[in-house]
Tab-separated table of all heavy atoms in Angstrom:
chain	number	residue	atom	x	y	z
A	238	GLY	N	12.151	-5.603	23.506
A	238	GLY	CA	12.919	-4.359	23.502
A	238	GLY	C	14.201	-4.516	22.711
A	238	GLY	O	14.581	-3.624	21.936
A	239	ALA	N	14.854	-5.663	22.880
A	239	ALA	CA	16.109	-5.868	22.158
A	239	ALA	C	15.852	-5.945	20.657
A	239	ALA	O	16.639	-5.420	19.853
A	239	ALA	CB	16.794	-7.143	22.650
A	240	ILE	N	14.736	-6.564	20.283
A	240	ILE	CA	14.407	-6.617	18.852
A	240	ILE	C	14.156	-5.199	18.327
A	240	ILE	O	14.636	-4.811	17.259
A	240	ILE	CB	13.189	-7.522	18.610
A	240	ILE	CG1	13.550	-8.979	18.942
A	240	ILE	CG2	12.707	-7.405	17.173
A	240	ILE	CD1	12.384	-9.931	18.899
A	241	MET	N	13.427	-4.420	19.125
A	241	MET	CA	13.163	-3.041	18.694
A	241	MET	C	14.481	-2.297	18.493
A	241	MET	O	14.693	-1.619	17.481
A	241	MET	CB	12.319	-2.309	19.744
A	241	MET	CG	10.870	-2.714	19.765
A	241	MET	SD	10.101	-2.294	21.342
A	241	MET	CE	9.440	-0.731	21.054
A	242	LEU	N	15.380	-2.437	19.473
A	242	LEU	CA	16.651	-1.716	19.373
A	242	LEU	C	17.469	-2.220	18.181
A	242	LEU	O	18.159	-1.435	17.523
A	242	LEU	CB	17.449	-1.878	20.661
A	242	LEU	CG	16.886	-1.121	21.872
A	242	LEU	CD1	17.701	-1.426	23.110
A	242	LEU	CD2	16.866	0.385	21.608
A	243	THR	N	17.347	-3.518	17.891
A	243	THR	CA	18.094	-4.043	16.751
A	243	THR	C	17.573	-3.433	15.451
A	243	THR	O	18.362	-3.067	14.566
A	243	THR	CB	17.969	-5.573	16.709
A	243	THR	OG1	18.309	-6.077	17.996
A	243	THR	CG2	18.882	-6.170	15.667
A	244	VAL	N	16.259	-3.321	15.360
A	244	VAL	CA	15.707	-2.668	14.165
A	244	VAL	C	16.235	-1.238	14.077
A	244	VAL	O	16.658	-0.766	13.003
A	244	VAL	CB	14.163	-2.682	14.219
A	244	VAL	CG1	13.592	-1.854	13.086
A	244	VAL	CG2	13.639	-4.100	14.155
A	245	ILE	N	16.235	-0.563	15.217
A	245	ILE	CA	16.733	0.813	15.230
A	245	ILE	C	18.204	0.853	14.815
A	245	ILE	O	18.637	1.741	14.074
A	245	ILE	CB	16.561	1.414	16.644
A	245	ILE	CG1	15.084	1.434	17.041
A	245	ILE	CG2	17.146	2.820	16.719
A	245	ILE	CD1	14.217	2.280	16.194
A	246	LEU	N	18.941	-0.148	15.273
A	246	LEU	CA	20.365	-0.199	14.906
A	246	LEU	C	20.520	-0.317	13.397
A	246	LEU	O	21.273	0.435	12.768
A	246	LEU	CB	21.036	-1.389	15.600
A	246	LEU	CG	22.507	-1.618	15.243
A	246	LEU	CD1	23.359	-0.472	15.747
A	246	LEU	CD2	23.016	-2.936	15.818
A	247	PHE	N	19.785	-1.271	12.806
A	247	PHE	CA	19.894	-1.429	11.357
A	247	PHE	C	19.466	-0.164	10.638
A	247	PHE	O	20.065	0.246	9.646
A	247	PHE	CB	19.066	-2.631	10.886
A	247	PHE	CG	19.752	-3.938	11.158
A	247	PHE	CD1	19.135	-4.921	11.927
A	247	PHE	CD2	21.023	-4.178	10.666
A	247	PHE	CE1	19.770	-6.122	12.192
A	247	PHE	CE2	21.675	-5.373	10.921
A	247	PHE	CZ	21.041	-6.351	11.694
A	248	ARG	N	18.428	0.459	11.141
A	248	ARG	CA	17.982	1.691	10.489
A	248	ARG	C	19.046	2.782	10.618
A	248	ARG	O	19.293	3.533	9.677
A	248	ARG	CB	16.659	2.155	11.099
A	248	ARG	CG	15.485	1.255	10.722
A	248	ARG	CD	14.178	1.810	11.245
A	248	ARG	NE	13.888	3.124	10.671
A	248	ARG	CZ	12.881	3.885	11.050
A	248	ARG	NH1	12.065	3.490	12.013
A	248	ARG	NH2	12.668	5.062	10.485
A	249	SER	N	19.687	2.841	11.789
A	249	SER	CA	20.741	3.847	11.955
A	249	SER	C	21.861	3.594	10.963
A	249	SER	O	22.427	4.525	10.394
A	249	SER	CB	21.309	3.801	13.369
A	249	SER	OG	20.289	3.922	14.307
A	250	MET	N	22.163	2.293	10.765
A	250	MET	CA	23.245	1.975	9.846
A	250	MET	C	22.882	2.345	8.418
A	250	MET	O	23.750	2.620	7.597
A	250	MET	CB	23.599	0.484	9.951
A	250	MET	CG	24.432	0.243	11.200
A	250	MET	SD	24.470	-1.412	11.878
A	250	MET	CE	24.646	-2.450	10.525
A	251	ARG	N	21.586	2.372	8.139
A	251	ARG	CA	21.169	2.784	6.797
A	251	ARG	C	21.013	4.290	6.672
A	251	ARG	O	20.526	4.775	5.662
A	251	ARG	CB	19.819	2.169	6.476
A	251	ARG	CG	19.930	0.713	6.184
A	251	ARG	CD	18.827	0.342	5.236
A	251	ARG	NE	18.689	-1.095	5.218
A	251	ARG	CZ	17.585	-1.687	4.815
A	251	ARG	NH1	16.541	-0.966	4.432
A	251	ARG	NH2	17.521	-2.997	4.796
A	252	GLY	N	21.343	4.982	7.726
A	252	GLY	CA	21.282	6.438	7.633
A	252	GLY	C	19.956	7.041	8.071
A	252	GLY	O	19.706	8.220	7.851
A	253	HIS	N	19.090	6.234	8.675
A	253	HIS	CA	17.863	6.827	9.197
A	253	HIS	C	18.164	7.637	10.461
A	253	HIS	O	19.190	7.441	11.083
A	253	HIS	CB	16.848	5.733	9.556
A	253	HIS	CG	16.383	4.940	8.378
A	253	HIS	ND1	15.356	4.045	8.440
A	253	HIS	CD2	16.807	4.915	7.083
A	253	HIS	CE1	15.177	3.483	7.261
A	253	HIS	NE2	16.047	3.984	6.420
A	254	PHE	N	17.251	8.480	10.813
A	254	PHE	CA	17.277	9.308	12.042
A	254	PHE	C	18.288	10.454	11.962
A	254	PHE	O	19.410	10.287	11.499
A	254	PHE	CB	17.611	8.487	13.310
A	254	PHE	CG	16.775	7.265	13.468
A	254	PHE	CD1	17.353	6.023	13.648
A	254	PHE	CD2	15.394	7.351	13.419
A	254	PHE	CE1	16.583	4.891	13.784
A	254	PHE	CE2	14.621	6.222	13.558
A	254	PHE	CZ	15.213	4.990	13.740
A	255	ASP	N	17.849	11.589	12.427
A	255	ASP	CA	18.777	12.698	12.648
A	255	ASP	C	18.299	13.456	13.870
A	255	ASP	O	17.405	12.998	14.582
A	255	ASP	CB	18.851	13.592	11.403
A	255	ASP	CG	17.490	14.098	10.988
A	255	ASP	OD1	16.668	14.402	11.877
A	255	ASP	OD2	17.217	14.181	9.773
A	256	ASP	N	18.877	14.609	14.108
A	256	ASP	CA	18.548	15.303	15.358
A	256	ASP	C	17.086	15.705	15.436
A	256	ASP	O	16.565	15.925	16.520
A	256	ASP	CB	19.474	16.512	15.549
A	256	ASP	CG	19.430	17.440	14.338
A	256	ASP	OD1	19.054	16.963	13.242
A	256	ASP	OD2	19.758	18.625	14.491
A	257	LYS	N	16.395	15.804	14.279
A	257	LYS	CA	15.006	16.251	14.350
A	257	LYS	C	13.994	15.138	14.167
A	257	LYS	O	12.857	15.239	14.600
A	257	LYS	CB	14.773	17.318	13.276
A	257	LYS	CG	15.496	18.590	13.616
A	257	LYS	CD	15.045	19.754	12.778
A	257	LYS	CE	16.012	20.901	13.018
A	257	LYS	NZ	17.419	20.538	12.634
A	258	HIS	N	14.409	14.085	13.508
A	258	HIS	CA	13.440	13.108	13.038
A	258	HIS	C	13.826	11.734	13.565
A	258	HIS	O	14.592	11.007	12.939
A	258	HIS	CB	13.474	13.118	11.505
A	258	HIS	CG	12.310	12.423	10.891
A	258	HIS	ND1	11.133	13.053	10.621
A	258	HIS	CD2	12.145	11.142	10.512
A	258	HIS	CE1	10.284	12.201	10.103
A	258	HIS	NE2	10.865	11.028	10.022
A	259	HIS	N	13.303	11.370	14.727
A	259	HIS	CA	13.802	10.140	15.334
A	259	HIS	C	12.812	9.554	16.334
A	259	HIS	O	13.224	9.015	17.350
A	259	HIS	CB	15.137	10.413	16.025
A	259	HIS	CG	15.066	11.583	16.968
A	259	HIS	ND1	15.773	12.740	16.803
A	259	HIS	CD2	14.329	11.762	18.084
A	259	HIS	CE1	15.478	13.583	17.767
A	259	HIS	NE2	14.601	13.019	18.558
A	260	PHE	N	11.539	9.683	16.048
A	260	PHE	CA	10.581	9.165	17.037
A	260	PHE	C	10.827	7.692	17.341
A	260	PHE	O	10.791	7.270	18.499
A	260	PHE	CB	9.127	9.360	16.583
A	260	PHE	CG	8.202	8.519	17.396
A	260	PHE	CD1	7.924	8.861	18.704
A	260	PHE	CD2	7.673	7.332	16.893
A	260	PHE	CE1	7.136	8.055	19.501
A	260	PHE	CE2	6.880	6.521	17.681
A	260	PHE	CZ	6.605	6.886	18.985
A	261	ALA	N	11.085	6.893	16.292
A	261	ALA	CA	11.212	5.445	16.517
A	261	ALA	C	12.317	5.150	17.512
A	261	ALA	O	12.171	4.301	18.403
A	261	ALA	CB	11.493	4.728	15.194
A	262	PHE	N	13.417	5.880	17.382
A	262	PHE	CA	14.503	5.680	18.351
A	262	PHE	C	13.991	5.945	19.760
A	262	PHE	O	14.198	5.154	20.677
A	262	PHE	CB	15.672	6.620	18.031
A	262	PHE	CG	16.825	6.462	18.983
A	262	PHE	CD1	17.929	5.712	18.626
A	262	PHE	CD2	16.798	7.036	20.256
A	262	PHE	CE1	18.973	5.537	19.513
A	262	PHE	CE2	17.836	6.861	21.142
A	262	PHE	CZ	18.925	6.107	20.780
A	263	GLU	N	13.300	7.055	19.926
A	263	GLU	CA	12.874	7.404	21.284
A	263	GLU	C	11.842	6.425	21.814
A	263	GLU	O	11.846	6.089	22.997
A	263	GLU	CB	12.351	8.837	21.305
A	263	GLU	CG	13.509	9.803	21.112
A	263	GLU	CD	13.169	11.244	21.425
A	263	GLU	OE1	11.968	11.543	21.618
A	263	GLU	OE2	14.101	12.049	21.464
A	264	ALA	N	10.974	5.959	20.929
A	264	ALA	CA	9.977	4.992	21.376
A	264	ALA	C	10.669	3.739	21.903
A	264	ALA	O	10.345	3.241	22.991
A	264	ALA	CB	9.038	4.639	20.230
A	265	ALA	N	11.642	3.252	21.131
A	265	ALA	CA	12.359	2.056	21.569
A	265	ALA	C	13.098	2.337	22.868
A	265	ALA	O	13.133	1.498	23.784
A	265	ALA	CB	13.329	1.602	20.478
A	266	ALA	N	13.657	3.540	22.968
A	266	ALA	CA	14.396	3.890	24.182
A	266	ALA	C	13.457	3.964	25.379
A	266	ALA	O	13.765	3.440	26.457
A	266	ALA	CB	15.118	5.218	23.992
A	267	TRP	N	12.299	4.565	25.210
A	267	TRP	CA	11.332	4.617	26.316
A	267	TRP	C	10.986	3.211	26.765
A	267	TRP	O	10.905	2.908	27.941
A	267	TRP	CB	10.036	5.300	25.884
A	267	TRP	CG	10.148	6.760	25.621
A	267	TRP	CD1	11.217	7.562	25.892
A	267	TRP	CD2	9.151	7.588	25.017
A	267	TRP	NE1	10.943	8.836	25.496
A	267	TRP	CE2	9.691	8.892	24.955
A	267	TRP	CE3	7.869	7.362	24.526
A	267	TRP	CZ2	8.976	9.957	24.427
A	267	TRP	CZ3	7.158	8.416	24.002
A	267	TRP	CH2	7.705	9.702	23.949
A	268	TYR	N	10.765	2.367	25.750
A	268	TYR	CA	10.379	0.996	26.068
A	268	TYR	C	11.495	0.318	26.857
A	268	TYR	O	11.251	-0.380	27.847
A	268	TYR	CB	10.099	0.236	24.763
A	268	TYR	CG	9.334	-1.038	24.961
A	268	TYR	CD1	7.955	-1.017	25.119
A	268	TYR	CD2	9.981	-2.264	24.996
A	268	TYR	CE1	7.251	-2.182	25.306
A	268	TYR	CE2	9.278	-3.432	25.190
A	268	TYR	CZ	7.915	-3.382	25.344
A	268	TYR	OH	7.223	-4.544	25.538
A	269	TRP	N	12.718	0.549	26.423
A	269	TRP	CA	13.856	-0.075	27.101
A	269	TRP	C	13.948	0.415	28.543
A	269	TRP	O	14.161	-0.371	29.474
A	269	TRP	CB	15.143	0.241	26.336
A	269	TRP	CG	16.292	-0.596	26.784
A	269	TRP	CD1	17.338	-0.201	27.571
A	269	TRP	CD2	16.497	-1.982	26.499
A	269	TRP	NE1	18.188	-1.249	27.801
A	269	TRP	CE2	17.694	-2.363	27.148
A	269	TRP	CE3	15.786	-2.934	25.766
A	269	TRP	CZ2	18.196	-3.659	27.087
A	269	TRP	CZ3	16.296	-4.216	25.706
A	269	TRP	CH2	17.484	-4.570	26.358
A	270	HIS	N	13.753	1.693	28.751
A	270	HIS	CA	13.807	2.211	30.121
A	270	HIS	C	12.667	1.643	30.965
A	270	HIS	O	12.833	1.353	32.150
A	270	HIS	CB	13.755	3.733	30.125
A	270	HIS	CG	15.002	4.370	29.575
A	270	HIS	ND1	16.262	4.005	29.980
A	270	HIS	CD2	15.182	5.327	28.633
A	270	HIS	CE1	17.171	4.717	29.320
A	270	HIS	NE2	16.527	5.517	28.487
A	271	PHE	N	11.512	1.475	30.328
A	271	PHE	CA	10.380	0.873	31.046
A	271	PHE	C	10.740	-0.534	31.511
A	271	PHE	O	10.546	-0.907	32.669
A	271	PHE	CB	9.148	0.886	30.133
A	271	PHE	CG	8.188	-0.256	30.355
A	271	PHE	CD1	7.402	-0.312	31.497
A	271	PHE	CD2	8.071	-1.274	29.414
A	271	PHE	CE1	6.537	-1.369	31.698
A	271	PHE	CE2	7.216	-2.325	29.615
A	271	PHE	CZ	6.445	-2.379	30.757
A	272	VAL	N	11.323	-1.301	30.600
A	272	VAL	CA	11.705	-2.668	30.944
A	272	VAL	C	12.727	-2.671	32.086
A	272	VAL	O	12.695	-3.501	32.996
A	272	VAL	CB	12.280	-3.360	29.687
A	272	VAL	CG1	12.890	-4.678	30.027
A	272	VAL	CG2	11.194	-3.547	28.660
A	273	ASP	N	13.601	-1.697	32.034
A	273	ASP	CA	14.607	-1.479	33.056
A	273	ASP	C	13.968	-1.231	34.433
A	273	ASP	O	14.346	-1.846	35.439
A	273	ASP	CB	15.350	-0.211	32.632
A	273	ASP	CG	16.808	-0.287	32.961
A	273	ASP	OD1	17.183	-1.231	33.651
A	273	ASP	OD2	17.541	0.602	32.513
A	274	VAL	N	12.980	-0.349	34.441
A	274	VAL	CA	12.331	0.001	35.704
A	274	VAL	C	11.584	-1.213	36.255
A	274	VAL	O	11.630	-1.485	37.465
A	274	VAL	CB	11.373	1.187	35.494
A	274	VAL	CG1	10.532	1.419	36.740
A	274	VAL	CG2	12.168	2.437	35.150
Side-chain angles (χ1 to χ4, degrees):
Chain A
I240 293 173
M241 285 159 93
L242 289 176
T243 309
V244 173
I245 299 297
L246 176 66
F247 282 123
R248 289 185 62 187
S249 306
M250 283 158 43
R251 286 209 195 159
H253 296 189
F254 309 127
D255 56 37
D256 55 338
K257 290 194 191 60
H258 194 88
H259 52 244
F260 165 73
F262 180 100
E263 290 193 350
W267 291 351
Y268 196 81
W269 193 255
H270 290 311
F271 149 71
V272 171
D273 216 351
V274 171

